[in-house]
Amino acid sequence: MCVGQVGNLLPHVVVQAIMAKHLIPLWGLSASEAGMMAGAYAFGYMLAVPVLATLSDRIDARKILGAGTLVSMAAVLAFPFVAHDLLTASLMWGLAGLGFAGAYMPGLKALTDRLDPGDASRSVTLYTSSFSLGVALSFLIAQVAADRFGWQSAFLVTGLGPAAMLVAVALMAPVPPPPAQGSVLSSLGAVFRNRPALGYILGYGAHCFELYGMRTWIVAFWTFVAATRGGDVPVSPVTISVLFALLSMPSSVLGNELALRTGRHRAISAVQVASAVVGLSLGFASDASPWLTLGLILIYAVTIPADSGALTAGMAQSAAPGAKGATMALHSTIGFGLSALGGWGFGLALDAAGGPAHNRAWLAGFTLLSFGIVLGPVALWWSRRRSAAPSAPLSGRRAV
């Protein structure tokens, strides 16, 4: 499943990886338009995941996983033949995200349905952290392919990656879900009444806003840093984007281990506040020494994803019996909806502060991300209000 997950993610940030050098000048896009185009993937995901993930409570999630993978793969491979401006590119990229909605959370459901309960926390964290490896390869392969063979090749090469998940699906044994309890609306109602799970879901939304804001603009930001210094920077945009994504994988795993030992809410809140401080510092350092800027980016690469595994594992463990798919659906809807807003909002902040050629514009963008992530601890605090310990699926130290 983790190998298949990496394959499914090879196309994941192709648009973000190549837009600064290829797509923005090709189609004459502003920063806000580029952010909207990049965010179309998350928007398409957000529209489809409530239905697809909730449906996984009623049919074997393996079937949804296979269908979603096929749709996403087809949209990515068709992108260079169909996309020729902002509208067509956004529509095709949104269709790819819609397909991925049938792959990510239904994939997690397919995985947890085949695990013993004692294996869930670390296995979920490994699955979610493999996301980062896939994104790192996506950044690397997309930029190298586009620079050497043209921007169209980035989609054609990475679009073959989801075939790995199709192999994984074919190898899975069927696991019929238990008989559904009530309607889809009643399942969603159970999620909205589950305050502990909602805390993790809203915290995940804050995490995604920050993460995708940075993923969307990291290549453009480092391109700006290099341009203002005449190209005299320690690493290339390709290298910085890959390093940023690779550091996310161990960070997510270690963040979950920290949460298991010190309390999930406490660990997540500490990480998110630290990330806000680093992000704000990075905005102020956009015109500082490139070595200082690089150091802050690498620290940011650790703080941003360190809460991811703990948030998703906490959500899965807090889900009400019979409503796990619906809980995952809301988790992804909120997360990817705010992901779309993160990339687009960063672009709007850039344009509002004078455009990507100005230091103050990057400070505005990073300030927006920092404001977004500090809402995560607020959501976790809210989830503890009037939430009595006996009603929560977890108990004791690990439920903190």
Side-chain angles (χ1 to χ4, degrees):
M1 281 297 293
C2 290
V3 171
Q5 163 95 317
V6 170
N8 251 344
L9 285 159
L10 286 189
H12 193 70
V13 289
V14 176
V15 167
Q16 291 91 326
I18 69 172
M19 70 180 189
K21 189 172 182 179
H22 297 274
L23 302 183
I24 289 177
L26 176 66
W27 295 326
L29 305 178
S30 67
S32 57
E33 288 173 335
M36 181 174 67
M37 175 182 64
Y41 188 97
F43 185 73
Y45 184 105
M46 179 191 69
L47 292 179
V49 76
V51 176
L52 297 178
T54 304
L55 193 61
S56 68
D57 283 330
R58 287 161 170 75
I59 65 174
D60 190 346
R62 177 178 67 112
K63 298 178 181 178
I64 303 171
L65 172 60
T69 299
L70 279 172
V71 170
S72 184
M73 184 177 181
V76 174
L77 291 173
F79 188 100
F81 303 104
V82 177
H84 55 83
D85 57 15
L86 174 63
L87 177 61
T88 53
S90 298
L91 289 174
M92 288 306 298
W93 200 227
L95 180 60
L98 186 147
F100 189 66
Y104 183 48
M105 276 297 156
L108 179 61
K109 178 68 160 52
L111 176 65
T112 56
D113 284 347
R114 290 160 173 81
L115 291 173
D116 293 329
D119 297 329
S121 181
R122 289 186 173 91
S123 297
V124 167
T125 299
L126 185 60
Y127 177 82
T128 56
S129 62
S130 67
F131 202 110
S132 303
L133 178 58
V135 170
L137 290 174
S138 182
F139 270 122
L140 175 62
I141 295 171
Q143 290 176 83
V144 171
D147 289 346
R148 292 188 180 181
F149 307 110
W151 69 267
Q152 296 93 335
S153 66
F155 292 91
L156 297 177
V157 173
T158 61
L160 299 174
M165 183 58 89
L166 296 178
V167 174
V169 170
L171 295 174
M172 283 184 194
V175 176
Q181 306 271 328
S183 65
V184 171
L185 288 178
S186 66
S187 296
L188 287 173
V191 179
F192 281 106
R193 291 190 297 271
N194 186 346
R195 201 154 177 163
L198 279 178
Y200 291 116
I201 290 169
L202 295 174
Y204 181 71
H207 156 80
C208 288
F209 181 86
E210 180 189 41
L211 175 64
Y212 275 80
M214 186 58 176
R215 275 186 181 161
T216 299
W217 290 101
I218 182 172
V219 174
F221 174 63
W222 194 250
T223 300
F224 161 79
V225 172
T228 57
R229 291 156 181 82
D232 186 19
V233 290
V235 296
S236 68
V238 175
T239 303
I240 196 68
S241 60
V242 172
L243 283 175
F244 188 91
L246 282 177
L247 285 172
S248 297
M249 187 170 184
S251 176
S252 180
V253 173
L254 293 174
N256 185 64
E257 292 299 316
L258 175 66
L260 290 174
R261 286 163 173 75
T262 66
R264 205 175 292 278
H265 279 200
R266 187 179 298 115
I268 292 169
S269 297
V271 165
Q272 291 184 334
V273 170
S275 196
V277 172
V278 176
L280 196 59
S281 301
L282 188 55
F284 281 107
S286 61
D287 60 348
S289 160
W291 285 100
L292 174 60
T293 308
L294 174 62
L296 286 170
I297 287 176
L298 295 180
I299 295 171
Y300 209 28
V302 173
T303 60
I304 286 181
D307 56 350
S308 177
L311 284 163
T312 302
M315 172 276 300
Q317 292 179 346
S318 299
K324 183 184 289 186
T327 306
M328 290 179 176
L330 186 62
H331 187 76
S332 269
T333 302
I334 297 295
F336 277 79
L338 286 169
S339 294
L341 289 178
W344 183 37
F346 200 118
L348 287 172
L350 289 174
D351 283 344
H358 299 279
N359 292 318
R360 64 179 179 272
W362 292 104
L363 173 59
F366 285 112
T367 299
L368 178 66
L369 298 189
S370 296
F371 174 78
I373 192 60
V374 296
L375 296 179
V378 174
L380 292 175
W381 170 82
W382 168 83
S383 72
R384 294 194 298 270
R385 305 285 292 177
R386 297 186 301 172
S387 289
S391 65
L394 297 173
S395 60
R397 186 176 183 83
R398 293 190 180 189
V400 174

